[in-house]
Amino acid sequence: QVQLVESGGGSVQAGGSLRLSCVASGATYSSYCMSWFRQAPGKERESIAVIYSGGGTTYYADSVKGRFTIFQDNAKNTLYLQMNSLKPEDTAMYYCAALSRPKAGCGMSGSRTSFWDYWGQGTQVSVST
């Protein structure tokens, strides 16, 4: 079965850093298009970063651009999110997402939750002042 497992979350003070990991296993198509989302209590899940074109192209939401970096290690089937200069508004549950098969439009449609086939259980990030 396809499985995505996030790790690396925790509690940090504003200005701190965390690195999130997402390990993919099973018959998931993870080499071309993957993403990170986050969801705060009472709010919709929002796209924050997408990586595609074999890892050569990335997208970031304006709220995290310049602070977060998405990258992958294909040999280990692992997706990462390096988060620097964390702010209290970054507090949320963070999820990784992957596809079951190749799909066109990762860059254009990857910000939509409906685009993705598989989700991890999430890892909590809490940023205090």
Side-chain angles (χ1 to χ4, degrees):
Q1 296 294 312
V2 172
Q3 184 176 6
L4 302 176
V5 180
E6 301 98 336
S7 62
S11 299
V12 298
Q13 294 188 37
S17 298
L18 287 172
R19 178 176 290 183
L20 306 183
S21 300
C22 173
V23 179
S25 62
T28 181
Y29 180 74
S30 60
S31 64
Y32 189 81
C33 179
M34 295 187 72
S35 73
W36 285 99
F37 285 72
R38 68 185 182 188
Q39 187 169 25
K43 297 185 178 181
E44 293 187 346
R45 192 167 298 187
E46 63 174 337
S47 173
I48 57 172
V50 182
I51 185 166
Y52 55 102
S53 298
T57 305
T58 56
Y59 161 82
Y60 299 96
D62 288 341
S63 59
V64 306
K65 190 174 298 182
R67 299 188 297 119
F68 291 10
T69 303
I70 184 172
F71 61 101
Q72 61 189 32
D73 184 342
N74 291 329
K76 296 183 177 180
N77 295 316
T78 303
L79 179 72
Y80 300 94
L81 184 68
Q82 179 66 46
M83 305 185 295
N84 298 325
S85 301
L86 284 162
K87 304 175 181 179
E89 49 263 46
D90 295 319
T91 296
M93 186 73 74
Y94 283 71
Y95 302 89
C96 66
L99 301 174
S100 62
R101 64 190 188 280
K103 286 184 179 179
C106 185
M108 294 296 296
S109 303
S111 61
R112 302 182 302 175
T113 58
S114 61
F115 182 79
W116 303 96
D117 300 314
Y118 304 112
W119 297 88
Q121 294 300 305
T123 184
Q124 180 68 41
V125 172
S126 299
V127 185
S128 61
T129 58

